[in-house]
Amino acid sequence: FIRMNKEYKEIVSQIKNLPWNTYDPKEIIILSWISAIEFAKSLHCALGVYPGNVKLKEMARGELNTDNLSYDNYSHKGDHWQFLDHFCFTWCKSEIYTQLQWRHKVARACSKYDEVLKSMSNTERAMTVFSREYELPNIFKEILKAHDWDSLKLGYYKYYLERHIELDNEEGGHANLVADFETNDEVLLRFYKARLELYQSLQ
């Protein structure tokens, strides 16, 4: 029997319903880039905890050192965070990123998010990966609707979100591959609270 009113689910719903259309599009991308780097680290933790799991290895092949993202002049192998790194390099590591760092509220949220993940065991970080493959697509759909990414000349990010929704939700996709792994509600509550605060810092 699965209890549907889990507390962390309420936090996930809050993230989904954030006023994404009021947030600066480039700052959303920066936090996605930061989160994607952390996701790769957490996925490596999961692989260390479950080194012989065939399904997890298959899922990881779709996230790490993969060629399943191809847009404009990007068509080589890499972790998914490197896709974002490729397209936003000229601004997210220069003036926009500098501005973000000077926004103390955002900087603190990034530091706290990092601290929360670092405080977790490898097994706990793995749990956040398994949950994210199921929960994030619906959040990504809301972010997609929030801005006209093409007119902002940020079509690569629209593609990035759409592709992740596809990879997670397709039959036999990433969410299915990790669906049987054990998770812990308290761990997920800690994680999604930190994730919520990370995005609320953009207000």
Side-chain angles (χ1 to χ4, degrees):
F1 176 73
I2 299 176
R3 184 163 50 90
M4 298 305 294
N5 60 340
K6 296 179 179 179
E7 192 175 356
Y8 81 84
K9 290 279 190 180
E10 297 175 6
I11 304 297
V12 172
S13 181
Q14 289 182 51
I15 296 172
K16 179 182 173 183
N17 294 316
L18 285 170
W20 295 102
N21 62 324
T22 68
Y23 297 166
D24 184 289
K26 287 188 175 181
E27 291 189 353
I28 292 175
I29 294 174
I30 291 170
L31 292 193
S32 290
W33 172 57
I34 290 170
S35 300
I37 293 172
E38 173 272 309
F39 178 88
K41 293 178 181 177
S42 294
L43 180 50
H44 280 293
C45 291
L47 290 168
V49 175
Y50 305 98
N53 190 281
V54 175
K55 288 186 176 181
L56 180 57
K57 286 182 177 179
E58 183 179 348
M59 176 267 190
R61 282 195 293 269
E63 299 279 355
L64 306 173
N65 194 32
T66 179
D67 59 2
N68 61 10
L69 296 182
S70 179
Y71 184 89
D72 196 18
N73 62 346
Y74 186 96
S75 60
H76 54 271
K77 282 190 174 183
D79 295 355
H80 280 181
W81 69 266
Q82 291 174 303
F83 175 88
L84 292 178
D85 194 76
H86 173 84
F87 286 103
C88 63
F89 180 87
T90 57
W91 54 264
C92 75
K93 294 182 180 177
S94 56
E95 74 277 1
I96 301 296
Y97 188 60
T98 301
Q99 290 174 18
L100 181 72
Q101 292 303 296
W102 280 105
R103 289 184 58 191
H104 298 305
K105 184 180 180 182
V106 178
R108 285 197 302 270
C110 289
S111 295
K112 184 174 181 180
Y113 181 74
D114 187 56
E115 288 171 4
V116 169
L117 270 297
K118 286 182 177 179
S119 72
M120 292 182 175
S121 68
N122 286 351
T123 299
E124 291 172 335
R125 290 188 71 157
M127 290 177 183
T128 74
V129 169
F130 307 146
S131 177
R132 275 181 269 188
E133 293 303 286
Y134 176 78
E135 301 290 0
L136 289 188
N138 288 329
I139 295 171
F140 289 166
K141 289 176 184 177
E142 295 304 312
I143 298 175
L144 269 174
K145 295 188 294 185
H147 296 283
D148 187 344
W149 299 98
D150 288 324
S151 68
L152 293 169
K153 302 188 186 305
L154 300 170
Y156 69 87
Y157 185 63
K158 174 184 175 183
Y159 167 81
Y160 176 84
L161 294 178
E162 289 176 338
R163 192 74 179 101
H164 275 78
I165 293 168
E166 179 183 7
L167 290 169
D168 290 343
N169 285 343
E170 65 187 0
E171 186 176 351
H174 296 182
N176 290 147
L177 288 170
V178 298
D180 294 333
F181 285 92
E182 182 181 354
T183 59
N184 177 285
D185 287 4
E186 290 184 10
V187 170
L188 297 184
L189 181 60
R190 284 167 56 205
F191 170 74
Y192 286 113
K193 277 185 175 179
R195 190 81 169 211
L196 175 62
E197 291 178 10
L198 182 69
Y199 285 116
Q200 284 178 327
S201 70
L202 297 180
Q203 294 176 349

